[in-house]
Every structure is written in structure tokens, then in C-alpha cells.
Amino acid sequence: MAYRDCMRAASHRYTLLGAVLLATGLSTVALGGCAASPKPLPSASSTPSATPVFASDEEALAAAEEAYAAYQKVSDEVGHDGGTRPERYEAVAIGEALENALKNASQYRDAGATLIGSTSFSTQELQTAEYAKSEALEIVLYVCDDVSLADIVDETGTSIVKPDRQTVLPFVLTVVGSADQLQVSEKVLWDGKNFCP
Amino acid sequence: MKRAGFLVALVLAISLGSSPAYGAGGPCLDFDSITGGCPTSSGSINDGSVDINAHTGGSTDGDGGASDGGGDGGEAGGGDAAPPPDLIINPAVGDDGVDVSLRTLTGGDGDGGSVTCGAIVDCTPQEPTPPTVVTLDDIASFRPTTPSQTMEPDGWAVIGLPANFFTIAAAETEAGTLLGFDARVRFTPVGYSWASSDGASASSGTGGASWAALGVPEFTATPTSLTFTTTGRITVSASVDYAAEFSFAGQPWRPIAGTLTVSANDIIVTAAQAETVLVARDCVRNPSGPGC
């Protein structure tokens, strides 16, 4: 009875294995008992290439946020350095966004300006997330840049920030790339009604 | 036709909205953001965009971006986090000149203008038409005449010998009102049955006939005869199954499912033992003989 139960359990868990053991000799099982149950065979069903990079839109959005945070960090650093070494943008931006970032750096240099403080952002909403193919990800999201803690001063240390500036600005952000590297490809000011809180 | 126009307008609007030109705004460099050099976000709602919340990818969606985009676009304004109000404005104009706005995106069946009465949509109220299906319950007010049964010998029977029963029933047509319409109902007898209180029974497709009419000797078994086994007074009930048809004025006859069973009059039969004795003369010759 115990032998039968043991066999049943074993064959239930490891059908293939049970068949092999049956073929090689029942006595092995009888002698070894349940304690001799071997390790499960590795599953052959894992096909990573067919699995989406992200399990959900939320994961995709989180990855996009991370990419934009990196972009913003670089942008702040470039600003702190007065627009020097703009090539730092290349790691975090691509395409149109990169072009604009480089213009941004030159704007600092041209004005002899320096960033003081830092910028931050909050995500308003995910717009679209395309992540079926790991090598062609595209996530579009609405973000709100917060510049209230950032100031830009000229060579004399005088702020060149307009006193009535808008401190929270709505942007539509496009993040593209692969699972390994997501970069901001577009950052467009939303010129409709400000959706930021 | 108008609805098709709306659909085209809607699809067009969605495809425009999902193009890369999300907002009409410029890049607004970070430098300008901070200094206040970017154009101030206005309160304008006529920004020419559609909010598309397309979610593709995932474990099963594959590349179905287009269909997902349409579906999710339809619920702009709903969901967990409401999108910015202006993102759901759609300036597309339908065939009827009405803006295709949020109502169309969420509309489901749509609200595409008026319905044109014509060959396809008949707006003229129709005279109510009589039904083509009627049940026996519907014709409860129509009943055939109660059939009548007779028997021979008249009112008595001999134990062990057949007594002949026959029921007279005829097809008949009645006129009246059925479900609010002038109608006729026709009953046709299709089955006859008899049952006695001592357990004898018979059924036939015909009502039966007298022995004389059938041309058989008395006490001959017929399809409609009963043979009793007990003495005494026995009640014989008879019934007739009628098939029914109906016809509304000017329309053909249509059958009604099922049959209507109508009971005939009961007959009380005195069943008696009969013993045979040898007699020398008949009762005419010897009126005082046994059994005379």
C-alpha cells in the first residue's frame, strides 16, 4: 500500500521520471521509497524571446519614469555645469529630444547661465505603451515638470527667471529603446490646458 | 449613412491623435522651462488632439495596437486617473456638421443624427396583425357541442358479452372573437374513447355505430364495445378528442397544437348475469316460462 501510494505520488509529480523508473526496474523505487524521489526535470517551456518585456502597463510606465528621471538628472547636471559636456545627454536622450537637449546646453553656454537647484517631475498618466517586442519599446506618458526649486542665474549671479513663470509644466514624453536602454526621444510641451495639479 | 460618416470621422480622429504630434506645442527646452520662457499653458480646449490610451504588448495582446487604441480611446475621461480634460476634446466634425466630441467616443450605438423613414426604416405605425400562433388556451371561449353517446342494448349489458357503445360527434365551426380579432374556430373529432367504472375501456378513431348499421349480429364485439365483468350499475363515460383550427378573417386556416377533449354524457349500465336454460317453448307460446 505504501509502495503504491509512493508510486502514485511520484508518477503524479514526475510522470516522465516515473516512466523511466518503471522501465529501468520497479525494485529501485521499492527499495528507495519516496526519499529517493529525484529532482524535477527542468521545464522545457521557457521561451524568453516570446515574453513581453513588461508584465503590465504599470511596469512599462515605471521603466519610462526611470528613463525620464535619468534624463532629468543629466539635464540638471549639464545645467549646473553651465551647459558644458552636453554629450552626457547622449546616454539618456535620442533623436529629437537629444537635439533639443543639445540646444538646451548651448543655451546655457550662450547665456553664460548656470542652473541652481534641481528640477523634478511627476507622472500624470500613461498614454500608450508598446512593449510587445523587447527591441522596439515605445512608451508615451504625460508628465509634469516641476521647476519651482530650480533657478537659473547669469554670470553675475542674477536670476534670469521670470518672476511670473509657470512652475509646473505639462509635457508629453516619448521614451523609446530596448529593455536594456530606454531613452527619451521626444519631450513636447503640452500647450493645451495645463493638466498638471 | 450618417452613422457610417461618424465612424469614419471617429477613426480619422483617432489616427490623427495617435500620430507623433501629440500636442501642438514646441519642444520647450529645459532652460526655457525653468526661466519661464516656454509658452504658458493656456486654457484653450481646442487643441486638435485626441487622447488615446492604447495599451499594447502584455502577455497576450501582441501587436494589436490599432484595435486597442480605438477601444481605449473610447473611454477617454474614465478609468482610474482621469486624463486632463482638454485631452479628450475632438474637433472632428461629422457629416451632419456636429462636432464629434466625447459623446461619440463613448457613444456605443452612437447618436448619429436622425433616422430617415423610407424603404429600410418604416416609421408608419402598422395596423396590428393577428397572431399566426394560437393555443388551446386562447380558444377557451370556443367549445364544440357536447357529443352524445348511446349504447345497445339500451341501458343494460350481460356480463361477459360485449355491449356496443357509439358516440355521435361532428366537425363544427364556430365564429367569435379570438385575441381581439374576428375569427372562426373549427373543431374536428379525431378520437373517441370510453371508460367504465369497472375498468373496461375502449378507444377508436371513429365514433362507432350500431350493430345493425355495422351489419353484425347482436352482442358482437366491435372496436367501440365494452365487456363488463362485474354486475350492478356501471357508469360508462365517453369523450371525444377534437383537433382545432383557427382562421382570422380573410386568412387561411391554421392548426392549433394539441387536441381538445370534450366529455360526452355518461351512461348508467345495469350489468347482469345471464344463465342459459332450456325451455320447451318461447315466451310467446309460453309467457309464463323462465325468463319471460
Side-chain angles (χ1 to χ4, degrees), chain B:
Chain B
M1 203 53 201
K2 284 186 183 301
R3 177 161 305 174
F6 264 94
L7 281 175
V8 170
L10 180 61
V11 170
L12 182 64
I14 287 172
S15 61
L16 286 172
S18 60
S19 71
Y22 299 103
C28 179
L29 305 182
D30 293 345
F31 184 92
D32 296 324
S33 305
I34 298 166
T35 58
C38 291
T40 305
S41 296
S42 68
S44 164
I45 58 172
N46 192 17
D47 51 49
S49 297
V50 170
D51 174 39
I52 304 298
N53 263 316
H55 308 279
T56 59
S59 54
T60 57
D61 277 353
D63 282 329
S67 58
D68 266 0
D72 280 296
E75 59 178 28
D80 298 332
D86 59 327
L87 300 185
I88 57 178
I89 300 303
N90 188 325
V93 174
D95 282 356
D96 60 355
V98 177
D99 275 357
V100 179
S101 59
L102 180 60
R103 64 189 172 89
T104 305
L105 289 170
T106 59
D109 281 345
D111 46 8
S114 60
V115 173
T116 303
C117 300
I120 298 172
V121 179
D122 187 356
C123 300
T124 309
Q126 292 288 320
E127 285 293 320
T129 52
T132 55
V133 176
V134 168
T135 67
L136 287 174
D137 287 342
D138 295 329
I139 60 163
S141 62
F142 296 80
R143 279 294 177 267
T145 309
T146 301
S148 66
Q149 67 158 335
T150 56
M151 72 168 287
E152 55 186 357
D154 188 6
W156 61 274
V158 178
I159 299 295
L161 290 180
N164 190 29
F165 293 82
F166 44 99
T167 302
I168 297 167
E172 55 186 294
T173 301
E174 294 179 38
T177 302
L178 177 56
L179 302 174
F181 299 94
D182 288 339
R184 290 177 300 161
V185 174
R186 183 163 66 192
F187 296 100
T188 306
V190 293
Y192 300 80
S193 56
W194 293 264
S196 74
S197 56
D198 80 335
S201 65
S203 61
S204 170
T206 67
S210 66
W211 280 312
L214 293 171
V216 296
E218 292 180 339
F219 298 105
T220 299
T222 68
T224 66
S225 65
L226 297 175
T227 301
F228 304 111
T229 56
T230 59
T231 59
R233 293 166 64 84
I234 294 170
T235 303
V236 175
S237 59
S239 62
V240 177
D241 295 328
Y242 290 92
E245 298 161 289
F246 70 96
S247 166
F248 291 107
Q251 295 194 2
W253 289 101
R254 291 190 174 90
I256 298 173
T259 56
L260 181 68
T261 301
V262 179
S263 295
N265 56 301
D266 288 347
I267 292 178
I268 308 295
V269 181
T270 301
Q273 293 276 7
E275 290 182 12
T276 305
V277 293
L278 288 172
V279 294
R281 296 179 182 85
D282 61 23
C283 289
V284 175
R285 300 272 301 272
N286 182 13
S288 62
C292 296

Side-chain angles (χ1 to χ4, degrees), chain A residues 7 12 18 26 31 37 41-42 69 71 73 108 126 131 135 139 145 165 167 172 176 182-183 186:
Chain A
M7 247 336 265
H12 180 69
L26 287 169
L31 290 172
S37 294
L41 297 172
Y71 166 91
K73 185 165 177 285
Y108 273 103
L126 174 69
Y131 49 87
E135 70 280 3
I139 303 152
D145 269 12
R165 68 170 177 173
T167 56
V172 179
V176 299
L182 280 173
Q183 291 170 298
E186 276 182 61

Side-chain angles (χ1 to χ4, degrees), chain A residues 129-184:
Chain A
E130 181 76 53
Y131 49 87
K133 295 172 187 165
S134 61
E135 70 280 3
L137 308 176
E138 180 177 296
I139 303 152
V140 181
L141 62 160
Y142 300 103
V143 297
C144 298
D145 269 12
D146 186 345
V147 299
S148 59
L149 299 178
D151 192 9
I152 292 180
V153 295
D154 63 11
E155 290 157 325
T156 67
T158 309
S159 174
I160 58 171
V161 168
K162 288 181 184 172
D164 59 344
R165 68 170 177 173
Q166 206 169 341
T167 56
V168 181
L169 296 99
F171 286 96
V172 179
L173 205 65
T174 306
V175 177
V176 299
S178 64
D180 300 330
Q181 188 182 30
L182 280 173
Q183 291 170 298
V184 177

Side-chain angles (χ1 to χ4, degrees), chain A residues 39-108:
Chain A
K39 292 168 189 167
L41 297 172
S43 167
S45 65
S46 61
T47 49
S49 58
T51 311
V53 183
F54 304 118
S56 64
D57 288 352
E58 288 69 28
E59 274 189 25
L61 180 60
E65 286 172 337
E66 201 177 312
Y68 184 55
Y71 166 91
Q72 207 170 40
K73 185 165 177 285
V74 168
S75 192
D76 282 0
E77 287 170 3
V78 170
H80 291 150
D81 299 339
T84 56
R85 290 193 289 129
E87 67 277 6
R88 283 177 280 179
Y89 274 119
E90 288 168 10
V92 293
I94 193 171
E96 189 185 314
L98 179 58
E99 288 174 27
N100 288 327
L102 297 177
K103 281 183 200 164
N104 183 62
S106 63
Q107 206 161 357
Y108 273 103

